[in-house]
Amino acid sequence: MRRHPLATAALAVALCTPAVAAEIASAKAPAGDINLAAQTIPAAIGTDPAPDSQHPARMAVLHIPTGGRTGHPVEVNGVAYLASGAGAHPTLLLLHGLPGNEKNLDLAQAVRRAGWNVVTMNYRGSWGSPGSFRFANNPEDATAALAYLRDPAHAQDLGIDTGRLVIAGHSMGAWTAAHAAAKDGKLAGLILISMGDIGVVAHLPHDKLVALAADNREALAGVTPESMAKEMENHADAFATAPLTARLTGTPLLALTSDDGLASHTDALVAGIRAHGGTQISTAHAATDHGWSDHRIALEAAVINWLQKLGG
């Protein structure tokens, strides 16, 4: 990967006329209601929990059924990072971006130390999961993962409190999480980290879409840069997050943005949710890159502090 997926100033500028591009370049994203520099750093970021010999922290490999809609059912790869301690735990489904070189596993481990289970997964056709990669499949795969975690047998085996399921995503994963949360309607929370709205990206000029896809298709099966570009173009309206806002008003939201040229994607979604009456929204902006490379502790702290306020 030669650059972070969906995240260069050139990408943001390419979406606009020169005048609008200049305005975006000079504007700063809203600071948000969370002061990342002043927040409390949870102990879980730097301290292991006390060992529990009866109920130790553990990992479990998952095989999550999906693909029924397309008529080509497969089982995608997942990993559960299970927290120590007796009883069912609140659980975070954490989704990676395009193509997923940054999987935020440091965040997963920190959240587990804070007492939450964390489940990661690879979409169809990505990172060894069977099937062909399609943007349209990603929300279905996330929905399938939520159904898997709610299944009584899996919930008991993995120690999942199905009433406290939260979905989170980074970049394309945040776009996926938003679509899955809007369809679900029963989640305890939604976390967006530097969302790249594929419905917005789809309006790039064709040659720029192809170049973007070519730069971010490693470890993706069954696609070419041209096919990825055409899928985005052909489904731009269906991929947009703006139509989701009315269905997200009841879901607590943590929206985190960075200086990656994409903050407007999240800001627009947040504004739409608020316009429909949504009030359970927390936001923060960091002066960092798309991968939060020099703000990893700030990211972990923001996520854990917010999760704990949900009653985790």
Side-chain angles (χ1 to χ4, degrees), residues 31-98:
D33 55 84
I34 298 174
N35 184 337
L36 295 177
Q39 65 184 333
T40 300
I41 305 301
I45 290 178
T47 305
D48 286 322
D52 186 330
S53 60
Q54 297 299 313
H55 306 281
R58 60 189 178 95
M59 289 175 60
V61 175
L62 309 180
H63 302 287
I64 301 169
T66 186
R69 176 184 61 85
T70 63
H72 299 285
V74 297
E75 293 185 345
V76 297
N77 307 325
V79 175
Y81 298 86
L82 303 174
S84 62
H89 294 270
T91 299
L92 177 69
L93 175 62
L94 178 60
L95 305 175
H96 67 70
L98 178 73

Side-chain angles (χ1 to χ4, degrees), residues 179-258:
H179 276 271
K183 180 179 180 180
D184 188 282
K186 303 187 295 274
L187 292 169
L190 166 65
I191 301 173
L192 308 177
I193 304 169
S194 295
M195 181 178 73
D197 187 335
I198 303 301
V200 175
V201 174
H203 293 286
L204 278 166
H206 182 74
D207 61 331
K208 290 184 170 58
L209 269 182
V210 172
L212 176 70
D215 218 25
N216 292 287
R217 64 174 291 268
E218 56 209 90
L220 302 181
V223 290
T224 65
E226 184 70 23
S227 72
M228 292 172 70
K230 287 184 176 179
E231 186 193 4
M232 286 188 274
E233 292 168 335
N234 291 340
H235 297 88
D237 291 343
F239 288 170
T241 60
L244 307 178
T245 53
R247 288 180 281 157
L248 290 172
T249 56
T251 303
L253 170 64
L254 173 62
L256 304 173
T257 58
S258 56

Side-chain angles (χ1 to χ4, degrees), residues 64 66-67 74-78 93-104 119-145 167-178 180 196 198 218-221:
I64 301 169
T66 186
V74 297
E75 293 185 345
V76 297
N77 307 325
L93 175 62
L94 178 60
L95 305 175
H96 67 70
L98 178 73
N101 287 307
E102 175 57 80
K103 293 183 173 59
N104 292 289
V119 174
T120 65
M121 56 172 283
N122 294 316
Y123 317 108
R124 268 174 282 176
S126 73
W127 300 95
S129 279
S132 296
F133 178 84
R134 298 289 185 272
F135 292 104
N137 288 345
N138 296 350
E140 182 184 358
D141 293 347
T143 295
I167 191 170
H170 174 221
S171 191
M172 179 191 71
W175 166 82
T176 302
I198 303 301
E218 56 209 90
L220 302 181

